[in-house]
Amino acid sequence: KPLDAACRDHGFFLIRNHGMDAAIEQMWRAASGFFDQPSEAKREVLRTESIPLGYFDRELTKRRRDLKEVFDYMQPRAGGSDINQWPVGQPEFYDAMNRFFTEASTVAERTLNLVFRALAGSGISRLPMPQGDPRTSTVRLNYYPVDDPLSHDEQSPVAGLGDMALHHHTDPGILTLLLQDMTGGLQARTRQGHWIDIVPEENTIVVNLGDMMQVWTNDNYTAAVHRVLAPAERTAERFSTPFFYSPEKDARIAPLDALCNKPPVYRAFTWREYIQGRIDDNFTDLGEEDIQIAQS
């Protein structure tokens, strides 16, 4: 009941006893070491419009620049099939991220099962559970500095900073496993429009539901609207790492038949077309607010 209620109201909950403690600690050390490098070193793996993986320091949310630096990667693959950009000469970074991705994929699948069990417990029978796919899922290392990472000269040709470290948005995928440090600053919005703090707790993973879950459940469950407060309201740097669990690349996304006792809220679409719009929108200002599931 508590899990079902949380998924209906704000789309956030915490999990414990996940078994990832060692992998998480290794990931934190590697992420901190990466962001501690000079800008020139980090920009050797700079993300571009054609290569949406690697480092970036001027991402947009709500058409305003976020006060953060990120490093994005997908499932590491052996040999020449790996499309990620890895820092040269840092094997410990690769090892940490590979282990974290593998273990997070397993926990995400188990968590998805919990969510659908909670939904079925609401009196819905014969509910098929759509699957996620590690091959389309991503990890993002977030570093929120107190000061702007761009120099004065670099700031002028790009969008100005917003009044949040990260403006309110939903995640595009199925669900997100979020690791956050103890700094705080993350907030979620309830269905009534109130902002509540997602207070950091030791040894927990924050889970928030994404756009695809809202579509599959035909608005029974809500994609979590969340934001990160600006430095004026938090005085320390902040680290977080979300694992974005996503559908298969060609998956057809539509409300599940068992949940259509009311007319479907969303038209059918593919994961591939939806996520490409979000990638393009994060990279540059397309002249409108971020693509969200309400537009589908």
Side-chain angles (χ1 to χ4, degrees):
K1 289 293 183 179
L3 178 56
D4 181 65
C7 291
R8 290 177 185 278
D9 181 44
H10 49 71
F12 268 90
F13 58 91
L14 302 180
I15 57 174
R16 303 179 185 274
N17 303 316
H18 43 73
M20 288 183 61
D21 292 336
I24 291 168
E25 179 60 31
Q26 185 181 5
M27 177 274 294
W28 282 139
R29 289 196 303 269
S32 178
F34 175 80
F35 288 117
D36 277 346
Q37 298 178 108
S39 294
E40 295 75 16
K42 291 179 283 192
R43 289 174 182 173
E44 289 180 0
V45 289
L46 187 67
R47 186 174 107 192
T48 68
E49 195 162 7
S50 59
I51 306 175
L53 300 170
Y55 174 77
F56 204 52
D57 55 9
R58 55 198 71 186
E59 189 163 83
L60 305 177
T61 308
K62 303 300 177 191
R63 303 184 64 192
R64 302 293 287 176
R65 184 162 56 88
D66 301 329
L67 183 57
K68 67 176 180 180
E69 302 174 43
V70 304
F71 179 89
D72 294 307
Y73 73 97
M74 298 187 74
Q75 185 177 49
R77 300 180 185 179
S81 62
D82 195 340
I83 62 174
N84 293 295
Q85 296 194 86
W86 299 109
V88 176
Q90 299 181 39
E92 69 285 351
F93 182 84
Y94 173 86
D95 291 343
M97 298 309 149
N98 190 13
R99 178 184 183 185
F100 178 79
F101 192 101
T102 300
E103 296 193 19
S105 298
T106 299
V107 172
E109 182 180 5
R110 288 162 47 198
T111 304
L112 181 60
N113 274 277
L114 287 175
V115 171
F116 270 89
R117 282 168 55 190
L119 183 60
S122 299
I124 301 166
S125 60
R126 299 184 303 279
L127 184 63
M129 191 187 80
Q131 299 296 313
D133 190 344
R135 294 171 298 180
T136 61
S137 301
T138 58
V139 170
R140 161 162 289 187
L141 309 180
N142 283 317
Y143 169 55
Y144 296 90
V146 175
D147 300 314
D148 197 328
L150 301 186
S151 68
H152 179 74
D153 291 341
E154 291 171 329
Q155 292 173 25
S156 57
V158 297
L161 285 172
D163 57 356
M164 292 279 160
L166 176 60
H167 276 270
H168 68 280
H169 67 287
T170 58
D171 293 341
I174 300 171
L175 58 80
T176 301
L177 304 181
L178 176 69
L179 285 303
Q180 61 170 335
D181 66 13
M182 300 303 291
T183 303
L186 176 65
Q187 293 188 323
R189 192 173 70 191
T190 68
R191 285 213 182 203
Q192 292 72 40
H194 305 300
W195 288 102
I196 57 175
D197 293 323
I198 307 298
V199 179
E201 294 188 25
E202 294 279 4
N203 305 316
T204 64
I205 295 176
V206 179
V207 181
N208 65 268
L209 304 185
D211 290 343
M212 300 307 99
M213 185 67 72
Q214 183 166 318
V215 174
W216 281 338
T217 64
N218 204 32
D219 274 357
N220 281 278
Y221 282 180
T222 185
V225 180
H226 53 291
R227 67 186 185 183
V228 178
L229 296 180
E233 300 174 67
R234 59 173 184 83
T235 57
E237 62 183 10
R238 178 177 183 268
F239 290 90
S240 70
T241 300
F243 173 86
F244 300 109
Y245 195 43
S246 303
E248 294 180 350
K249 64 179 181 180
D250 292 318
R252 180 181 178 275
I253 311 297
L256 300 174
D257 290 341
L259 298 172
C260 288
N261 52 338
K262 62 178 181 179
V265 179
Y266 304 97
R267 67 171 178 84
F269 56 92
T270 67
W271 169 247
R272 185 196 294 265
E273 68 176 286
Y274 187 70
I275 193 56
Q276 188 58 55
R278 288 291 293 263
I279 290 171
D280 293 344
D281 193 51
N282 282 342
F283 187 83
T284 191
D285 187 355
L286 299 180
E288 60 181 44
E289 294 270 309
D290 299 349
I291 295 170
Q292 307 277 237
I293 199 55
Q295 295 172 251
S296 296

